Structures are given as C-alpha cells and as structure tokens.
Amino acid sequence: MLLTVAVSAESQEPPKPIDAAILKQWSAPYRGWHYHPDHVIPAKPDIKGFDKVNKVDVPTVYQLPGDQKWYMTFIGFDGKGYQSFVAESDDLTHWTNKRLAMGYGPKGGFDFGGVVLGAFLYEDYSIKAPRMLKKKDGKYWSLYGAYPRQGGYELRPGYEGVAASADGLAWQRARDEPILSVHQKDCAAWEKDCIYQPWLLEHQGKFYNYYNAANGHIEQLGMATSDDLIEWKRYPHNPVIPVGEKGSYNEKFSSDGKVFRDGDHWVNFFFGVGKGGAHIMVAFSRDLYHWTVDPDPLYKAGGNPTGLDKQYAHKISLVWNPANQTYYLYYNAVGNKGRGIGLITSKPLAPTPK
C-alpha cells in the first residue's frame, strides 16, 4: 500500500524546494539503462485483420487479477488514425496474440479519428508494485486520448474520454462526451489548440489526470482532478510541468507524464523535446501539485547503437519484474526501423535459450 502523505491543497504554499543534490539522488535508480537491440513490437506488428498498420506508439503494460501474464496496450496507425491494440507476454520481452482493444468511435464522435488507451486505474501506484488493474463499480477503467477526424496523424483538436471494460482486454466508452475538451469553459490558453494523452492516478480517494496539451507547437503538462472519473476539474495553476528554458532538453515539449510513488515522494516520467530530439526525462514532487524537473534526461534519443531510437525516445511504460529484480522500460523508439516499441532494462537480460 502507498504511504499516507499530506497532499497540499491548491491554495497552500508550495513545499520546500527540491535541490540539485536531491534530484540526483532520486533519479539515480532510473539511469544506466541496458538496451534491447530491436523493437519488441515492430512498426508493422502483423495483427490479423489490420495489415495496414505501419506505425505503433504509446505502450502501457498492466496485469489482471489472478492472471500470471502481462498485457500491453499500444496504438497502431493505419493511415486513417489510431486504434488501440493489446498484446500479451510471459516474460516481458516477447509479445504475442495482438488484437484490437478499442477501435474507432462512431462517425461524428469525438473519438472517430482514433483512441489511445493507456491511462489505467491501477490497484497500487508504488514504483515497484505490480501494474494490476483495479475494479471500480464492477468494471476496469481507463482514460484515453482521442481524435475526431480520420485521414492523418493526430488531427487536431484532440480530446480525452473515459472507457470501461469487463475483462480488461476489450474496452468501450463509459461516457459519450469527452472528459476534457478545448471547447470547455475552463480550457486555458496553454491548451487551447489540442489536448493529448492522459495519465490516471488515484490517491487518498481522489483521482488525478496528468495530461499534455498544446498551444501552437508548444506542449506542456497539466493536471485535472475528479471524485468519480466522469466529471473533471482543471487545476487552476496549470501547467504543472511547463516547457524548459531555451537550450534545455524540454524547451519545446514537456509531454506524456507517468506518475508513481517512490518512497516519500512522487516521480513523473515524461518526455522532453529539445537538443536534437525527444528524450525520456523525469520530474519529482512531494505533493502532486508542485514539480521539479531534473534537467538531465534519463535516456537520450540515439542511445541504442543500432539506430533504433536515433530520432525519438519517448512515451514510456515502466514495470518492475520481481523475478529478476529488474526495471523494464518500454518506450516509443523511432529510428532506422520506423516507429515501434523499444525496451531498455536496468540490468542486462539473460540471453533467450535456443
């Protein structure tokens, strides 16, 4: 279970600053990665009935109660838009049985152009806890990113919806209207052009949604809160992780945050765009509202010597495997083999027996 900590109310003063020495200490467990030489899910993933998919993105790993397998949702782009798929694995390295998890919404709907699952309600958000889905009201839940039009890649404006599932594998809309939209009255200037991917966190009976959004070509991370997963209220002091200074690794984007509890603090894995690509970065908080970015990426684009991620390394899913005491970090690796799902680990993996 998570440690009980006091979450600052929106009107309270920020907690004490997180200095450079603490940033270095807190980020140390998430450095020194070992690369997997190839995509674990390639750009053309060979999904029966979906042979036009030629780009994949946004991995999110989870488990189901009473099931020893791991599951991963990811999106596939087929020239029209996004659909969400699910694969399964016994060892966190080999992923099979790929099939549709949630397809295009109805014509005219906010999610007609595609759905991006991956902001699941977990039992426990501790950094080393199993990524076990949690039932609420007899169903599993996920927030999702969505696009209203088909015919291209991330056609603006984006929205966010909420989905539910009886089995954790096949997902449907839980609400016919978006939970976040650029058309809502509380939509601020920083997010006025497009809303992208959510991340769901539950803490002390409250739900948090960390999401990235755009004004022009700048993306930043904001937060909204809810008591029921259906109605959401934006934090009035967004963005909580803005872009960095000129010349920083996140001078253009601070996007796709994934938040977990690590001891006495919170860690937010996000990606920054700046200094030659998209890089995996991290920020820390003591209260979920005030975040301090470590300016040095955890993993930079081009880290894999094969060229697998020479263009972008971003959009992560982090899993702890207690069997070999190893972190598995899945990410969108874009390079000489297209846009696929890459893997880096905190320890070298034993060779697969022949």
Side-chain angles (χ1 to χ4, degrees):
M1 299 297 292
L2 294 182
L3 296 174
T4 300
V5 296
V7 177
S8 297
E10 295 176 3
S11 60
Q12 286 182 340
E13 290 295 316
K16 62 182 180 179
I18 300 171
D19 62 31
I22 295 176
L23 287 178
K24 184 177 181 181
Q25 176 188 341
W26 286 355
S27 67
Y30 314 111
R31 298 189 180 278
W33 297 98
H34 301 267
Y35 68 89
H36 188 73
D38 206 349
H39 288 137
V40 293
I41 297 183
K44 294 183 178 181
D46 190 24
I47 306 170
K48 186 177 180 179
F50 299 92
D51 56 349
K52 292 185 179 179
V53 171
N54 58 26
K55 296 180 178 69
V56 301
D57 209 333
V58 193
T60 310
V61 175
Y62 64 95
Q63 291 180 275
L64 295 170
D67 189 338
Q68 296 300 310
K69 293 181 181 293
W70 285 275
Y71 295 91
M72 179 198 292
T73 54
F74 61 95
I75 57 171
F77 179 74
D78 61 3
K80 294 192 301 182
Y82 291 142
Q83 297 184 89
S84 286
F85 299 90
V86 62
E88 62 188 56
S89 178
D90 294 318
D91 62 3
L92 288 172
T93 303
H94 302 91
W95 295 87
T96 61
N97 196 17
K98 306 175 187 76
R99 66 272 202 195
L100 188 68
M102 188 174 179
Y104 294 120
K107 190 171 183 179
F110 71 93
D111 50 9
F112 176 62
V115 297
V116 187
L117 282 172
F120 297 114
L121 179 63
Y122 291 127
E123 287 277 3
D124 192 331
Y125 288 86
S126 299
I127 194 74
K128 290 185 177 180
R131 302 287 178 254
M132 193 70 66
L133 296 195
K134 176 182 178 179
K135 279 191 173 180
K136 177 182 179 295
D137 301 327
K139 295 177 285 190
Y140 299 112
W141 295 83
S142 179
L143 307 185
Y144 67 95
Y147 299 90
R149 295 184 293 132
Q150 294 186 5
Y153 206 78
E154 296 183 349
L155 296 179
R156 295 182 174 188
Y159 300 87
E160 288 184 357
V162 57
S165 173
D167 62 2
L169 299 172
W171 296 80
Q172 299 82 32
R173 272 185 183 180
R175 177 182 171 174
D176 288 335
E177 298 297 324
I179 58 168
L180 288 184
S181 162
V182 298
H183 305 298
Q184 292 167 330
K185 291 182 179 179
D186 61 347
C187 180
W190 72 276
E191 57 183 327
K192 72 180 183 66
D193 289 335
C194 195
I195 292 172
Y196 292 103
Q197 186 65 3
W199 175 257
L200 178 60
L201 172 74
E202 182 183 15
H203 181 61
Q204 295 185 343
K206 191 172 187 175
F207 300 105
Y208 297 80
N209 174 6
Y210 293 90
Y211 67 99
N212 55 306
N215 179 340
H217 298 292
I218 297 295
E219 285 187 27
Q220 302 179 94
L221 272 164
M223 182 183 71
T225 58
S226 174
D227 295 322
D228 61 5
L229 293 175
I230 303 298
E231 300 293 335
W232 291 84
K233 177 184 177 184
R234 288 168 166 87
Y235 179 51
H237 303 297
N238 279 334
V240 293
I241 301 182
V243 291
E245 298 177 352
K246 186 176 181 179
S248 67
Y249 285 98
N250 63 324
E251 69 171 335
K252 296 179 179 178
F253 283 28
S254 294
S255 298
D256 264 56
K258 312 291 171 67
V259 180
F260 297 101
R261 185 72 180 169
D262 186 1
D264 63 354
H265 58 273
W266 301 93
V267 52
N268 189 329
F269 300 93
F270 70 100
F271 79 85
V273 172
K275 283 195 177 182
H279 316 280
I280 299 168
M281 301 186 69
V282 69
F284 298 98
S285 175
R286 291 188 171 97
D287 68 355
L288 289 173
Y289 292 88
H290 304 90
W291 295 87
T292 303
V293 173
D294 187 329
D296 185 21
L298 300 178
Y299 184 83
K300 298 176 185 177
N304 191 317
T306 69
L308 196 72
D309 55 20
K310 66 179 181 180
Q311 187 174 3
Y312 303 135
H314 60 348
K315 303 176 186 177
I316 73 100
S317 180
L318 182 69
V319 181
W320 172 256
N321 184 0
N324 58 3
Q325 299 286 293
T326 301
Y327 284 115
Y328 290 64
L329 193 153
Y330 303 90
Y331 68 107
N332 191 229
V334 184
N336 59 5
K337 292 188 176 181
R339 180 177 289 263
I341 306 304
L343 170 64
I344 51 179
T345 54
S346 59
K347 295 178 182 178
L349 298 181
T352 303
K354 294 183 179 179

